[in-house]
Amino acid sequence: MNRPHRRITACVLAAAAMTLAGCSQQWGWYVVNPATPSGLTNLKFLIGGLQQTVLLSLTAISISVVAGLAIALPGLAPSRLLRGFNRVFVEVVRAVPILVLILWVYYGMPQIMNVSINVFWAGVIALALSDSAFEAEIFRAGIQSIDKGQYEAAHSVSLNYRDTMWFVILPQAIRRILPALGNQLVYMLKMSSLVSVIGMQELTRKANELVVTEYRPLEIYTVLVLEYLVLILLVSAGVRWLERRLQADQGS
Amino acid sequence: MNCTENGREPMIQVDGVSTWFGDFQALKHVTMDVAAGERVVVCGPSGSGKSTLIRCINGLERHQEGEIRVDGTLLAQSRKSIDSVRSKIGMVFQQFNLFPHLSVLGNLMLGPVRSKGMTRQDARAMAMRFLERVRIPEQADKFPRQLSGGQQQRVAIARSLCMEPKIMLFDEPTSALDPEMINEVLEVITELAESGMTMICVTHEMGFARRVADRMVFMDHGEIVEMAKPDKFFTKPESRRCIDFLDKILHH
Ligand SMILES: Nc1ncnc2c1ncn2[C@@H]1O[C@H](COP(=O)(O)OP(=O)(O)OP(=O)(O)O)[C@@H](O)[C@H]1O
Ligand SMILES: [Mg+2]
């Protein structure tokens, strides 16, 4: 099943590489040619942002998944007040562009909170906050898709609310929303590039800095594109592997 | 009708219970007692309130009027009284409602471990004992979707028994089964009845009812229309509606 998929991906990449190499006059691949010492240094410099991009995205999504769940649950409560809180949070947070949120957290928040905040945590807070609204909606839909009979069976074996959620509802809901959660992680990896505007040394920022000194935007940004592409293909493969694992867990 | 001839307090007392869904009255002043060890079979046309009645008894549905007592405990709105009542009652559903993400053993052990604080070891031993009783110990490590309908329903019965209830409620336990699987489930329920378990079973399996029931209840439009011992119920029913119903169900 997976094979033709992989072959197609390989073909597309090869074709892209050949097209790029074909119109060679404008290209100056020497800037990132690992065979030359300066090219190798540049390449290492570019790839050096990978760790920050991954760390930032993973930290942010870990927080936003937990926060999203915490915001989804009141949205399913019988109380109108709790549901209202959920609605307001989701609508407001979803309406703010991520870039604006990043600027607001990094430059604005220190003024009210009277603490300075480093770029990493500013990025994490902004991305996590923005994503938590989407995660909340994903969790709400996932939990609502679970059959009412599951709650009734849990009731009949005397489980309390917390155990019902933790051992019965969420394990099933999470299996269902796994593809959506995977999408959010991909989205997060891409949006982390915006944190470059406040100076975080992640992939995009590194590329920008190198472009300024080398003046080879075409080659450097092409490498940047490939970096994100590889990263995200790996993540997608990981998510699909997890989906298969969990399905095997249920004996199907 | 009362069944306290033996002088003991009835196991279940339903006294003047009414329930509404919006404007629709699903139960109209239902009164019924069930003695300890008694087996009651409830039948009646679709929408007559059979499910609603037994769901009210274990707190899955709220009644707005009247009183329900289970083993002396008044079923009220409080968490504590609902917990106390549901811990005495096992419930088997038409759609089985097994937890699909847990193995058969996992399904059986969840309640005892989480709500009774039993050790996993004890819970496992008990689960195996009840799986033997419903004659599928060899399926212990399978997942629900790997089992036939009849096997799934027997797992559901074993899951209820693992909570060591004083009362078992069955809501059309064989209606979702293919004909060839109905008997294996009815046999298990019959054995349970012979062991002296107090039970209310909603079913249209009249052969089973005749064999097992101490008392038959016929419901229509949210009311108990007829309540009698099986020999009288099947030979000389009093109400027109009950005669028509039995006619339809026994001679089609
Ligand atoms: N949650 C609910 N909301 C609104 N109406 C309901 C609800 N549950 C049950 N009812 C209505 O109450 C009436 C009794 O339903 P109930 O499920 O108790 O009938 P039943 O005798 O079990 O029927 P069946 O043989 O089809 O299972 C039906 O008319 C049904 O439409
Ligand atoms: Mg019903």
Side-chain angles (χ1 to χ4, degrees), chain A residues 151-158, chain B residues 58 86 89-91 93 159 163:
Chain A
Y151 291 92
E152 299 184 345
H155 171 99
S156 76
V157 292
S158 289
Chain B
N58 84 339
R86 68 178 177 167
I89 299 179
M91 174 109 179
F93 304 89
R159 176 175 69 181
M163 296 302 290

Side-chain angles (χ1 to χ4, degrees), chain A residues 96-113 117 122 125-126 129 198:
Chain A
V96 184
I98 296 182
L99 182 56
V100 175
L101 207 52
I102 292 169
L103 295 172
W104 190 85
V105 169
Y106 187 60
Y107 296 110
M109 219 168 67
Q111 286 188 20
I112 35 171
M113 310 261 284
I117 185 168
I125 291 172
L129 188 61
I198 55 172

Side-chain angles (χ1 to χ4, degrees), chain A residues 228-243:
Chain A
Y228 281 111
L229 189 61
V230 169
L231 191 57
I232 281 158
L233 287 178
L234 284 176
V235 167
S236 310
V239 171
R240 270 200 304 277
W241 174 82
L242 200 61
E243 269 176 61

Side-chain angles (χ1 to χ4, degrees), chain A residues 56 60 98 102 122-132 188 191-192 195:
Chain A
L56 177 76
I98 296 182
I102 292 169
V124 166
I125 291 172
L127 288 183
L129 188 61
S130 159
D131 192 52
S132 64
M188 189 72 100
M191 289 306 133
S192 70
V195 186

